[in-house]
Amino acid sequence: MNKKDKEKILILSAGFGDGHKQVANAIGEAVENSLPNFEPIHLDIMEWLHPHLYPISTYVYKRVIKRFPKVYSYLYKRTRERNSLSIKLNTLFTLGLGSMLEIIREMNPSAIVSTYPFAAGMMSKLKEQGLIHIPIITIITDFTDHSYWIHPYTDQYIVGSEDVMQRLISLGVEPDIIHCTGIPIRQKFNKAQSRKMLAQKYGLNSQSFTILIMGGGDGFIGKGLSTFQALEQLPKEVQIVVVCGRNKKLHKKLQEELKWSQHSIRIMGYCENVHELMAVSDVMISKPGGVTTSEAMAMELPLVIYRPLPGQEEDNANYLVNAGLAILAENEQDLLVKIERAMNHSDLLETMKQQSRILQSKTSALEAVDVIVHSINCARKARNIARFPMERVQAFNEIDLPSCLPFTAKHSFRN
């Protein structure tokens, strides 16, 4: 089929944290691999709508989180539930409806998928005003909820855990529009890898205990060198692979400061082959971002969560620890204790691997695409029903009209 003849699925994300884009990429990949008649179009909504403001806003966002975590934590918790402040801030962050509508009309997609909360808010407003008439689907990219994700004209929600599903139901979202697929990840994280071959590829010893340290795409790793100073106290040598992401300053600093480490250390920047590094590692020290941890779960890689950022990462950490998927290190000394324990107790690591097998769906992206396709089909059937005389509507009695009709608010919000 010619590319211009394919139906389009518009996927909206933003670069405030790497997870939104990673989920968008996973959905785009799944669409390309499983739906030959559809074309995924991935758009960074903030970069597109506010090209001059975008670099400044992303810089401020990262600085606030890193330098003033208590401020971010306060705002996150203050707007957790739907209230006057959350409504005002959501309105501020969803400016640009007119420009967004022009993009949608030009692309004419069959569905819109939002992996960024304020994109979801914009789509709900456009639908509320009757300006768009297509299914809108929201994918929550963490193991938690927040008022910014939940909007009355959203047609379907895709969530990462049963806990989030139950939380949304308690907030008034109808159960039949919530789908617990797991957080969508790219297919390469579901493939078996040869540890021996990968060790050779990266110049590692396949027999040595290997620790993978990741700080997310922007390279927030604890308090920098303090993490590694703690690991220097381990009683025996280990292999450490460090992924600094886009943090070039941290990358250079670690190269200089860790030359004389007792451990064998490999320092890397932004890496597209994280799945290979996960496959060759015994344990991962990481921020508890929803996507990174979902990828680790798919690879059955035990997690040590260290210094989670305020807000959604704290919520993610609580979920992962309570689910038996991770252990939490409170400080440098605690990190040392937890890593030693992992090295000396293989049963602890095996228990976390077993929990990963139970809780992580290896088909999360494909299941999410099924939800998208179902939404498109429901919208079409509903439009067809609207064209028929009432006596013929009964022919479509197999359709669940409340969940299919695209213009009905699906939520009775409870404050």
Side-chain angles (χ1 to χ4, degrees):
M1 177 180 287
N2 192 301
K3 191 172 183 179
K4 67 179 182 179
D5 295 328
K6 292 184 176 183
E7 294 186 60
K8 296 176 176 60
I9 295 175
L10 179 58
I11 308 168
L12 303 177
S13 72
F16 293 86
D18 208 44
H20 306 301
K21 286 194 171 183
Q22 292 295 341
V23 170
N25 290 337
I27 294 298
E29 177 187 78
V31 169
E32 288 179 341
N33 293 339
S34 62
L35 301 177
N37 296 331
F38 285 84
E39 177 191 0
I41 299 178
H42 181 188
L43 189 68
D44 183 318
I45 188 171
M46 300 304 290
E47 186 175 19
W48 185 274
L49 294 178
H50 311 290
H52 302 296
L53 181 62
Y54 179 74
I56 299 171
S57 59
T58 52
Y59 175 79
V60 171
Y61 169 78
K62 293 168 187 176
R63 296 290 290 182
V64 167
I65 288 181
K66 191 172 184 180
R67 299 289 184 181
F68 308 103
K70 290 184 179 179
V71 173
Y72 181 85
S73 179
Y74 170 79
L75 288 173
Y76 179 87
K77 293 175 181 177
R78 180 71 175 78
T79 57
R80 179 69 176 266
E81 306 289 345
R82 185 177 174 86
N83 54 45
S84 58
L85 177 60
S86 70
I87 293 171
K88 289 177 182 177
L89 289 176
N90 190 64
T91 300
L92 175 65
F93 285 116
T94 55
L95 295 175
L97 287 176
S99 298
M100 193 67 238
L101 182 59
E102 288 182 14
I103 295 170
I104 294 170
R105 285 177 173 171
E106 181 180 346
M107 292 185 178
N108 190 29
S110 297
I112 301 175
V113 180
S114 298
T115 70
Y116 178 61
F118 296 116
M122 293 182 76
M123 296 308 101
S124 180
K125 286 185 178 181
L126 288 173
K127 199 156 196 178
E128 180 180 11
Q129 294 170 18
L131 297 173
I132 59 174
H133 305 226
I134 52 181
I136 55 176
I137 300 99
T138 293
I139 303 178
I140 298 179
T141 59
D142 288 290
F143 296 107
T144 187
D145 66 283
H146 193 280
S147 64
Y148 291 156
W149 285 110
I150 307 170
H151 303 282
Y153 284 80
T154 300
D155 290 290
Q156 305 289 336
Y157 290 94
I158 293 170
V159 301
S161 72
E162 292 287 342
D163 289 358
V164 178
M165 176 181 251
Q166 292 304 318
R167 176 67 177 166
L168 263 59
I169 291 172
S170 73
L171 292 171
V173 181
E174 293 182 5
D176 60 348
I177 68 168
I178 310 171
H179 306 271
C180 182
T181 67
I183 295 174
I185 58 174
R186 298 184 71 174
Q187 200 60 35
K188 62 186 179 182
F189 288 93
N190 296 321
K191 297 178 180 178
Q193 305 280 325
S194 167
R195 176 166 177 149
K196 185 175 181 180
M197 291 180 64
L198 291 175
Q200 291 177 345
K201 177 178 178 178
Y202 291 100
L204 301 171
N205 184 343
S206 62
Q207 302 301 314
S208 295
F209 190 89
T210 304
I211 302 171
L212 175 62
I213 301 180
M214 293 188 62
D218 298 303
F220 297 136
I221 302 176
K223 290 187 176 180
L225 288 176
S226 63
T227 304
F228 303 95
Q229 290 167 352
L231 295 177
E232 284 298 311
Q233 301 176 50
L234 288 171
K236 58 184 179 181
E237 180 183 347
V238 298
Q239 283 182 145
I240 300 176
V241 180
V242 187
V243 179
C244 297
R246 300 181 186 88
N247 194 329
K248 295 181 179 179
K249 183 177 179 181
L250 177 63
H251 187 282
K252 183 178 180 180
K253 186 175 183 179
L254 293 180
Q255 282 185 320
E256 294 174 353
E257 297 291 338
L258 299 178
K259 289 179 181 178
W260 313 114
S261 173
Q262 68 157 323
H263 305 302
S264 174
I265 298 182
R266 177 78 182 273
I267 303 170
M268 306 179 70
Y270 188 82
C271 181
E272 287 289 346
N273 297 321
V274 171
H275 62 295
E276 295 183 345
L277 301 179
M278 288 183 175
V280 81
S281 301
D282 294 287
V283 69
M284 181 171 78
I285 301 173
S286 175
K287 293 166 3 90
V291 178
T292 299
T293 53
S294 293
E295 292 167 348
M297 288 163 60
M299 299 294 295
E300 298 178 15
L301 178 62
L303 295 166
V304 176
I305 297 170
Y306 183 52
R307 295 189 182 278
L309 293 174
Q312 62 269 28
E313 286 196 6
E314 290 178 333
D315 291 344
N316 287 343
N318 290 334
Y319 166 76
L320 293 164
V321 171
N322 291 335
L325 296 162
I327 52 179
L328 176 65
E330 302 283 355
N331 50 51
E332 285 88 354
Q333 189 58 40
D334 193 31
L335 175 66
L336 181 64
V337 170
K338 297 293 171 58
I339 293 296
E340 279 195 70
R341 183 182 171 199
M343 292 172 63
N344 297 325
H345 296 85
S346 59
D347 57 330
L348 172 64
L349 299 183
E350 184 56 37
T351 297
M352 286 192 278
K353 289 180 181 181
Q354 289 175 358
Q355 284 299 101
S356 293
R357 295 183 197 116
I358 294 170
L359 295 175
Q360 171 58 40
S361 169
K362 292 185 179 293
T363 58
S364 55
L366 293 174
E367 290 178 44
V369 168
D370 285 344
V371 172
I372 296 166
V373 171
H374 175 74
S375 298
I376 294 171
N377 290 336
C378 272
R380 286 175 179 163
K381 290 177 181 178
R383 285 196 293 270
N384 288 337
I385 288 174
R387 299 190 187 106
F388 293 158
M390 285 306 295
E391 62 269 17
R392 297 189 61 187
V393 171
Q394 296 303 317
F396 293 85
N397 59 9
E398 76 279 5
I399 301 173
D400 179 10
L401 290 178
S403 65
C404 289
L405 286 175
F407 304 117
T408 304
K410 304 300 195 307
H411 313 37
S412 54
F413 287 116
R414 299 167 191 164
N415 294 323

